[in-house]
């Protein structure tokens, strides 16, 4: 059926005709080099070995003739051959070599194609942001020439980069534009790539039946063009979707087909994906022995692939560092050269001025005096200008420092919003969606409300910390000290914190002797107490206990928050109160923004107190802080102890003396 299809006949006819033309032109000239490169381009998806042989011969001829265009396309074809084997580093090296030669020729069309290739490689290396930089440049170059076929390819590849970023809406915009152009051109070979990407978007959006239809179209078009790497990916995609939909027999067939093709290609990444889908399929068939074996094979290849990716990223970082270091050294050298030239110029001016002064002294004493006065005036003006420039430089440095601090605040805020606030909002959105569409009833919804309430409350605490920190960083926070009762303030926060603790089956009590009047900013101390107690709840597992105590010593009140939770690793203890934002997940994967303890230290010290901690890994932690006592504190009111804890019968908090 493949051999009888019109597209297959056209593909075969094209390669056969190129072979015939190549055989009739044996002369080793630029024409043969171009023919070899064109033939290699037709063969790389179905016979990578033959494509590599043609490309190497084209390069040898072009190199001997100093034919730059032939060398560019030979490098590009050799890079595409490496892609079929999964050797992305070699492909990137060869493509960059071709790109450098194309830049020397200022060939806009070739530059557009090669920038597109570099973008594709970065996408496959899971560096989509680097990829988008080259792909957008490629699209701009291709739009200058108004070449619709090439524009459609780059639009497809931009969509692929957005898929890697998990931005499906952006990906669909570019993929639908690419599909429209390719349909107008009847580019069935190119449509195979676009339908593959549309299928991946549908899978990310959980539209599995639509994803199956797209992957079937992609497989048909890859088969028509005899594109073996594409057919491998299409078979793997079909097997994954069919496994999800429960069509296990079809999934088995497609997975076997992918394995058979990839054994010929030797693509390591596709082999890793094969074992991942193999594991999922075996699990769906309840063949857990085979599933475990497949998962081990996948894990080993995934580790190897991750190590390769890590090595690549380290190499890239080192190259970037060396490049920036060299650039800085060049800037410094240039400044030194400019300073040296300025010194020489100044010396020349001084020598000429001295000679003129000597001649003037010989002519007339009065002229020497006038010249001397004039030089003094110039010196004072120059000195004044230098002071003015120095002052302006100082102002610019202060402004740069302020801008850098504001930029760090902005980066931290966006980091918290993008990484830590999306999760509870996404959970709430999902539950409300199910409730709205009547896919979950109100009773089932109430089952999740406690956990959802805890996540939202933790998020609210996190937002409070972040806003206080941002305000402190950007414009400063003034201390509004006043006399207040620490016990009353703690009781105001305690019921809510006990609810959070009760959901984790953690016992939370506080023991404070009498009424403790302190002199501080109540809002700041409230945030400190809330952060310390919330942290204790976060790192105390079910069945644990948290106790808050206070004692008076001299003119200070000392508050202790003690838990028997997981404790703090010794290697991380030095980071707790530092400017390095430190955050780890709790015993139930609770998240934080890494600002609470840093902000607490700042607030305690602003109120003339101190904060410290003791912690043993596995045995829990004790956090202490002091705050000044009020002048009105009644020393005699220390004759009883307040214990606030849960009543196991009523569930309400009770006060015991």
């Amino acid at each position: 059926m493949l051999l009888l299809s019109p597209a297959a006949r056209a593909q075969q006819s094209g390669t056969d005709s190129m072979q015939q033309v190549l055989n009739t032109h044996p002369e080793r000239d630029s024409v043969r080099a171009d023919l070899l490169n064109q033939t290699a381009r037709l063969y790389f998806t179905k016979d990578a070995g033959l494509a590599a042989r043609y490309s190497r011969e084209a390069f040898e001829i072009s190199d001997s003739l100093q034919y730059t265009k032939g060398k560019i396309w030979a490098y590009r074809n050799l890079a595409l051959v490496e892609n079929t084997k999964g050797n992305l580093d070699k492909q990137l090296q060869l493509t960059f070599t071709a790109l450098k030669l194309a830049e020397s020729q200022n060939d806009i069309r070739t530059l557009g194609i090669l920038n597109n290739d570099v973008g594709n490689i970065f996408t496959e290396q899971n560096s989509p942001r680097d990829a988008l930089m080259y792909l957008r440049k490629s699209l701009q170059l291709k739009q200058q020439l108004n070449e619709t076929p090439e524009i459609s390819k780059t639009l497809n590849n931009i969509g692929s980069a957005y898929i890697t970023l998990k931005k499906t809406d952006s990906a669909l915009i570019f993929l639908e534009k690419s599909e429209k152009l390719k349909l107008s051109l009847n580019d069935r070979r190119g449509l195979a790539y676009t339908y593959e990407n549309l299928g991946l978007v549908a899978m990310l959006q959980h539209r599995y039946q639509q994803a199956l239809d797209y992957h079937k179209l992609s497989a048909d078009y890859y088969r028509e063009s005899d594109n073996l790497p594409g057919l491998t990916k299409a078979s793997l995609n079909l097997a994954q979707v069919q496994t999800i939909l429960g069509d296990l027999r079809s999934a088995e067939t497609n997975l076997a087909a992918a394995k058979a093709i990839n054994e010929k290609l030797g693509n390591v990444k596709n082999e890793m994906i094969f074992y991942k889908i193999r594991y999922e399929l075996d699990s769906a068939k309840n063949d857990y022995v085979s599933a475990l074996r497949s998962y081990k094979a996948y894990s080993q290849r995934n580790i190897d692939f991750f190590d390769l990716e890590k090595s690549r990223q380290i190499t890239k970082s080192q190259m970037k560092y060396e490049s920036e270091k060299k650039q800085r050294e060049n800037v410094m050298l240039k400044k030194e050269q400019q300073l040296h030239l300025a010194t020489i110029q100044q010396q020349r001016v001084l020598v000429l001025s001295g000679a003129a002064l000597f001649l003037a002294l010989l002519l007339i004493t009065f002229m020497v005096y006038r010249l001397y006065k004039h030089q003094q005036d110039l010196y004072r003006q120059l000195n004044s200008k230098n002071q003015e420039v120095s002052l302006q430089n100082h102002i610019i440095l202060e402004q740069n420092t302020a801008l850098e601090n504001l930029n760090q605040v902005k980066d931290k805020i966006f980091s918290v919003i993008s990484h830590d606030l999306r999760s509870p909002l996404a959970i709430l959105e999902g539950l409300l969606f199910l409730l709205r569409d009547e896919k979950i009833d109100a009773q089932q919804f109430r089952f999740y409300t406690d956990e959802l309430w805890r996540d939202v409350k933790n998020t609210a605490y996190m937002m409070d910390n972040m806003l206080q920190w941002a305000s402190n960083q950007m414009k400063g926070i003034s201390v509004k000290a006043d006399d207040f009762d620490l016990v009353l303030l703690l009781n105001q926060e305690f019921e809510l914190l006990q609810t959070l603790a009760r959901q984790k089956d953690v016992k939370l009590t506080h023991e404070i002797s009498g009424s403790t009047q302190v002199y501080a900013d109540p809002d700041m101390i409230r945030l400190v107490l809330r952060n310390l107690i919330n942290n204790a709840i976060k790192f105390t597992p079910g069945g644990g206990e948290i106790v808050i105590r206070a004692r008076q010593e001299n003119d200070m009140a000392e508050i202790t928050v003690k838990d028997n939770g997981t404790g703090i690793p010794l290697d991380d203890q030095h980071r707790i109160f530092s400017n390095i934002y430190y955050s780890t997940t709790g015993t139930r994967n609770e998240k934080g923004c890494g600002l609470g303890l840093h902000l607490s230290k700042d607030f305690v010290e602003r109120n003339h107190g101190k904060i410290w901690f003791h912690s043993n890994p596995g045995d829990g932690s004790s956090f202490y802080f002091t705050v000044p006592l009020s002048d009105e504190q009644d020393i005699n009111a220390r004759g009883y102890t307040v214990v606030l804890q849960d009543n196991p019968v009523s569930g309400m908090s009770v006060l015991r003396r």
Side-chain angles (χ1 to χ4, degrees), residues 130-279:
D130 293 332
L132 285 172
M133 179 176 66
Y134 285 94
L135 290 171
R136 290 187 180 115
K137 184 176 181 180
S138 171
L139 183 62
Q140 183 181 9
L141 292 171
K142 291 179 178 181
Q143 286 174 339
Q144 289 180 22
L145 301 176
N146 197 26
E147 290 191 353
T148 303
E150 288 297 328
I151 291 173
S152 68
K153 293 177 183 178
T154 302
L155 288 171
N156 173 79
N157 296 331
I158 293 174
S160 182
Y162 277 117
I163 291 174
T164 307
L165 286 169
K166 301 294 189 295
K167 295 184 177 181
T168 54
D169 292 338
S170 298
L172 279 175
I173 292 172
F174 289 96
L175 292 175
E176 288 172 354
K177 289 181 180 178
S178 176
E179 180 192 21
K180 183 178 180 180
L181 291 178
K182 289 178 179 179
L183 286 172
S184 68
L185 297 168
N186 195 26
D187 181 11
R188 296 168 72 86
R189 179 187 180 92
L191 281 168
Y193 296 96
T194 302
Y195 285 136
E196 177 188 349
N197 283 330
L198 286 170
L200 295 175
V201 171
M203 290 174 69
L204 288 173
Q205 295 178 341
H206 306 294
R207 295 182 285 110
Y208 297 114
Q209 187 57 52
Q210 193 172 3
L212 182 66
D213 296 337
Y214 279 130
H215 287 316
K216 284 181 178 179
L217 280 172
S218 174
D220 290 341
Y221 291 162
Y222 278 135
R223 192 176 293 108
E224 283 183 5
S225 57
D226 205 10
N227 188 332
L228 297 183
L231 190 56
T232 305
K233 292 189 294 181
S235 299
L236 290 171
N237 290 331
L238 282 170
Q240 186 172 16
V241 177
Q242 288 164 342
T243 300
I244 294 172
L245 293 175
D247 188 0
L248 305 185
R249 181 175 297 178
S250 298
E252 189 76 53
T253 301
N254 282 302
L255 200 58
K259 182 179 181 182
I261 301 172
N262 197 58
E263 285 176 351
K264 179 179 178 181
L265 297 176
N267 190 299
V268 178
K269 184 177 180 181
N270 285 342
E271 185 179 4
M272 178 185 71
I273 297 171
F274 165 80
Y275 279 108
K276 178 180 181 295
I277 300 172
R278 177 77 266 174
Y279 150 72

Side-chain angles (χ1 to χ4, degrees), residues 39 131 147 179 216 261 355 376 471 473 532 545 552 576:
T39 308
E147 290 191 353
E179 180 192 21
K216 284 181 178 179
I261 301 172
Q376 287 294 319
S471 177
Q473 293 291 315
L532 295 182
E545 182 177 5
Q552 299 175 13
I576 294 301

